[in-house]
Amino acid sequence: GPLALSPEIEAFRRQFEEISAETDTLVAPLSEAQFGWQPAPGVWSIAECLEHLNASARFYLPALDEGIADAIRQGVYAEGPFSYNWIGRFFAHVIEPPPRVRLKSMLHTQPGPQRPKRETLAGFRAYQVQYIDRLRQANGLDLAHARVRSPISAWIRIPLGSAFAAVTAHERRHIWQLRKTLGMAGFPR
Protein backbone atom coordinates (compact mmCIF):
# COMPACT_ATOMS: atom_id res chain seq x y z
CA GLY A 1 0.00 0.00 0.00
CA PRO A 2 0.98 3.66 -0.03
CA LEU A 3 3.65 4.86 2.35
CA ALA A 4 2.17 6.27 5.57
CA LEU A 5 2.56 10.01 5.95
CA SER A 6 5.00 11.23 8.58
CA PRO A 7 3.34 12.94 11.56
CA GLU A 8 4.35 16.44 10.40
CA ILE A 9 3.21 15.86 6.82
CA GLU A 10 -0.05 14.38 8.13
CA ALA A 11 -0.58 17.46 10.34
CA PHE A 12 -0.14 19.76 7.31
CA ARG A 13 -2.51 17.54 5.27
CA ARG A 14 -5.18 17.87 7.97
CA GLN A 15 -4.71 21.65 8.00
CA PHE A 16 -5.29 21.89 4.23
CA GLU A 17 -8.37 19.65 4.55
CA GLU A 18 -9.73 21.79 7.41
CA ILE A 19 -9.10 25.03 5.50
CA SER A 20 -10.89 23.62 2.46
CA ALA A 21 -13.88 22.42 4.52
CA GLU A 22 -14.15 25.71 6.43
CA THR A 23 -14.00 27.71 3.21
CA ASP A 24 -16.78 25.57 1.70
CA THR A 25 -18.91 26.07 4.82
CA LEU A 26 -18.43 29.86 4.74
CA VAL A 27 -18.64 30.51 0.99
CA ALA A 28 -20.95 27.88 -0.54
CA PRO A 29 -24.19 29.39 0.86
CA LEU A 30 -23.36 32.92 -0.34
CA SER A 31 -25.10 34.60 -3.25
CA GLU A 32 -22.98 36.16 -6.01
CA ALA A 33 -23.80 39.60 -4.54
CA GLN A 34 -22.58 38.56 -1.09
CA PHE A 35 -19.50 36.89 -2.60
CA GLY A 36 -18.53 40.07 -4.46
CA TRP A 37 -19.52 42.60 -1.76
CA GLN A 38 -16.69 45.00 -0.97
CA PRO A 39 -16.71 46.41 2.59
CA ALA A 40 -15.02 49.64 1.52
CA PRO A 41 -12.91 50.96 -1.36
CA GLY A 42 -9.56 49.18 -1.30
CA VAL A 43 -10.80 46.46 1.09
CA TRP A 44 -11.03 43.04 -0.50
CA SER A 45 -14.32 41.22 -0.99
CA ILE A 46 -14.64 37.52 -0.19
CA ALA A 47 -14.20 36.86 -3.91
CA GLU A 48 -10.97 38.87 -3.96
CA CYS A 49 -9.61 37.06 -0.89
CA LEU A 50 -10.13 33.69 -2.57
CA GLU A 51 -8.80 34.91 -5.92
CA HIS A 52 -5.70 36.13 -4.05
CA LEU A 53 -5.24 32.67 -2.48
CA ASN A 54 -5.64 31.09 -5.92
CA ALA A 55 -3.08 33.49 -7.43
CA SER A 56 -0.73 32.76 -4.53
CA ALA A 57 -1.04 29.02 -5.19
CA ARG A 58 -0.28 29.50 -8.90
CA PHE A 59 2.84 31.40 -7.88
CA TYR A 60 3.98 29.22 -4.98
CA LEU A 61 3.30 25.65 -6.16
CA PRO A 62 6.20 25.79 -8.68
CA ALA A 63 8.54 26.95 -5.88
CA LEU A 64 7.44 23.96 -3.77
CA ASP A 65 7.99 21.68 -6.80
CA GLU A 66 11.50 23.05 -7.25
CA GLY A 67 12.36 22.66 -3.56
CA ILE A 68 11.01 19.11 -3.40
CA ALA A 69 12.81 18.08 -6.60
CA ASP A 70 16.10 19.58 -5.38
CA ALA A 71 15.80 17.75 -2.05
CA ILE A 72 15.07 14.43 -3.78
CA ARG A 73 18.04 14.92 -6.16
CA GLN A 74 20.32 15.74 -3.24
CA GLY A 75 19.00 12.89 -1.08
CA VAL A 76 17.90 15.19 1.76
CA TYR A 77 15.89 12.61 3.73
CA ALA A 78 15.28 12.34 7.46
CA GLU A 79 12.64 11.41 9.98
CA GLY A 80 11.14 14.16 12.11
CA PRO A 81 10.28 15.85 14.27
CA PHE A 82 12.11 18.80 12.76
CA SER A 83 13.36 22.08 14.21
CA TYR A 84 13.25 25.10 11.94
CA ASN A 85 15.56 28.09 11.82
CA TRP A 86 14.41 31.49 13.05
CA ILE A 87 13.58 32.83 9.60
CA GLY A 88 11.36 29.84 8.85
CA ARG A 89 9.55 30.21 12.16
CA PHE A 90 9.25 33.97 11.67
CA PHE A 91 7.61 33.59 8.23
CA ALA A 92 4.82 31.40 9.56
CA HIS A 93 4.38 33.40 12.78
CA VAL A 94 4.01 36.81 11.13
CA ILE A 95 1.39 35.52 8.67
CA GLU A 96 -0.78 33.62 11.19
CA PRO A 97 -4.10 35.31 12.05
CA PRO A 98 -5.17 37.53 13.54
CA PRO A 99 -2.87 39.86 11.59
CA ARG A 100 -0.29 41.60 13.75
CA VAL A 101 1.43 43.18 10.76
CA ARG A 102 -0.31 44.46 7.65
CA LEU A 103 1.40 42.93 4.64
CA LYS A 104 1.02 44.19 1.09
CA SER A 105 0.41 41.40 -1.37
CA MET A 106 2.82 41.02 -4.25
CA LEU A 107 1.69 42.22 -7.66
CA HIS A 108 1.51 38.70 -9.11
CA THR A 109 -0.79 37.57 -6.27
CA GLN A 110 -3.24 40.46 -6.56
CA PRO A 111 -6.78 39.27 -7.30
CA GLY A 112 -7.79 39.57 -10.93
CA PRO A 113 -11.25 40.28 -12.27
CA GLN A 114 -14.03 38.63 -10.31
CA ARG A 115 -15.16 35.29 -11.65
CA PRO A 116 -18.36 33.45 -10.71
CA LYS A 117 -18.31 32.01 -7.20
CA ARG A 118 -18.43 28.40 -8.37
CA GLU A 119 -15.30 28.90 -10.57
CA THR A 120 -13.35 30.65 -7.83
CA LEU A 121 -14.33 28.07 -5.22
CA ALA A 122 -13.57 25.16 -7.58
CA GLY A 123 -10.13 26.67 -8.22
CA PHE A 124 -9.52 27.04 -4.50
CA ARG A 125 -10.48 23.40 -3.86
CA ALA A 126 -8.23 22.23 -6.69
CA TYR A 127 -5.26 24.12 -5.26
CA GLN A 128 -5.84 22.52 -1.84
CA VAL A 129 -5.62 19.11 -3.54
CA GLN A 130 -2.40 20.20 -5.26
CA TYR A 131 -0.87 21.32 -1.96
CA ILE A 132 -1.76 17.93 -0.46
CA ASP A 133 -0.13 16.26 -3.46
CA ARG A 134 3.07 18.23 -2.74
CA LEU A 135 2.92 17.03 0.86
CA ARG A 136 2.82 13.43 -0.36
CA GLN A 137 5.83 14.15 -2.60
CA ALA A 138 7.68 15.67 0.37
CA ASN A 139 6.95 12.72 2.67
CA GLY A 140 10.25 11.36 4.00
CA LEU A 141 12.25 14.47 3.11
CA ASP A 142 14.12 16.43 5.77
CA LEU A 143 11.65 19.30 6.13
CA ALA A 144 14.21 21.41 8.03
CA HIS A 145 17.08 21.08 5.53
CA ALA A 146 15.23 20.94 2.20
CA ARG A 147 14.88 24.53 0.99
CA VAL A 148 12.25 26.49 -0.92
CA ARG A 149 12.43 29.95 -2.48
CA SER A 150 10.69 32.50 -0.31
CA PRO A 151 7.57 34.08 -1.80
CA ILE A 152 8.96 37.47 -0.79
CA SER A 153 12.40 37.25 -2.37
CA ALA A 154 14.06 34.60 -4.56
CA TRP A 155 17.39 34.96 -2.74
CA ILE A 156 15.81 33.96 0.59
CA ARG A 157 15.40 30.22 0.97
CA ILE A 158 13.33 28.82 3.81
CA PRO A 159 12.95 25.25 5.10
CA LEU A 160 10.36 23.18 3.23
CA GLY A 161 8.43 22.58 6.46
CA SER A 162 8.37 26.32 7.11
CA ALA A 163 7.06 26.86 3.57
CA PHE A 164 4.12 24.52 4.22
CA ALA A 165 3.52 26.25 7.58
CA ALA A 166 3.57 29.66 5.88
CA VAL A 167 1.09 28.55 3.19
CA THR A 168 -1.38 27.20 5.76
CA ALA A 169 -0.95 30.31 7.94
CA HIS A 170 -1.52 32.54 4.90
CA GLU A 171 -4.69 30.68 4.02
CA ARG A 172 -5.94 30.83 7.63
CA ARG A 173 -5.24 34.58 7.60
CA HIS A 174 -7.55 35.11 4.64
CA ILE A 175 -10.21 32.72 5.96
CA TRP A 176 -10.13 34.84 9.16
CA GLN A 177 -10.66 37.86 6.89
CA LEU A 178 -13.64 36.10 5.23
CA ARG A 179 -15.27 35.47 8.62
CA LYS A 180 -14.67 39.10 9.58
CA THR A 181 -16.30 40.30 6.32
CA LEU A 182 -19.35 38.04 6.90
CA GLY A 183 -19.89 39.70 10.29
CA MET A 184 -19.68 43.31 9.10
CA ALA A 185 -22.67 45.57 9.65
CA GLY A 186 -23.15 46.40 5.96
CA PHE A 187 -22.83 42.81 4.71
CA PRO A 188 -25.83 42.06 2.44
CA ARG A 189 -28.26 39.59 4.00
Side-chain angles (χ1 to χ4, degrees):
L3 184 64
L5 298 178
S6 71
E8 286 183 58
I9 293 288
E10 176 59 23
F12 286 128
R13 186 199 64 76
R14 274 194 313 274
Q15 290 176 56
F16 281 113
E17 293 281 350
E18 290 165 4
I19 289 165
S20 188
E22 182 175 7
T23 302
D24 273 345
T25 300
L26 293 171
V27 175
L30 300 179
S31 68
E32 290 293 335
Q34 290 170 318
F35 186 62
W37 180 76
Q38 201 168 11
V43 178
W44 284 353
S45 66
I46 291 171
E48 289 171 314
C49 285
L50 286 180
E51 285 293 344
H52 164 68
L53 290 177
N54 290 347
S56 297
R58 285 189 296 275
F59 171 74
Y60 209 52
L61 282 163
L64 289 172
D65 290 340
E66 178 187 319
I68 291 166
D70 286 349
I72 291 170
R73 271 194 301 278
Q74 296 169 14
V76 182
Y77 295 97
E79 291 183 22
F82 301 103
S83 296
Y84 302 106
N85 62 23
W86 71 269
I87 196 163
R89 290 189 313 271
F90 176 76
F91 262 70
H93 175 75
V94 81
I95 298 170
E96 197 68 54
R100 298 170 226 11
V101 178
R102 183 165 163 79
L103 303 169
K104 183 140 177 78
S105 66
M106 296 171 287
L107 186 59
H108 50 276
T109 65
Q110 291 283 325
Q114 184 175 334
R115 297 181 306 154
K117 179 183 76 168
R118 72 177 161 67
E119 286 181 29
T120 301
L121 199 51
F124 180 77
R125 289 179 191 125
Y127 288 124
Q128 299 310 291
V129 170
Q130 290 182 51
Y131 280 130
I132 290 170
D133 179 59
R134 288 353 182 251
L135 288 170
R136 292 188 201 306
Q137 292 175 32
N139 195 35
L141 292 175
D142 184 330
L143 299 179
H145 289 98
R147 300 281 180 208
V148 175
R149 262 183 302 118
S150 156
I152 295 171
S153 178
W155 62 270
I156 298 173
R157 298 185 54 85
I158 62 173
L160 179 58
S162 297
F164 285 123
V167 169
T168 56
H170 179 239
E171 290 189 344
R172 279 191 295 274
R173 181 185 186 112
H174 288 290
I175 302 312
W176 177 90
Q177 187 177 358
L178 295 182
R179 281 193 309 271
K180 188 175 169 193
T181 300
L182 288 169
M184 289 182 170
F187 187 76
R189 299 294 165 202

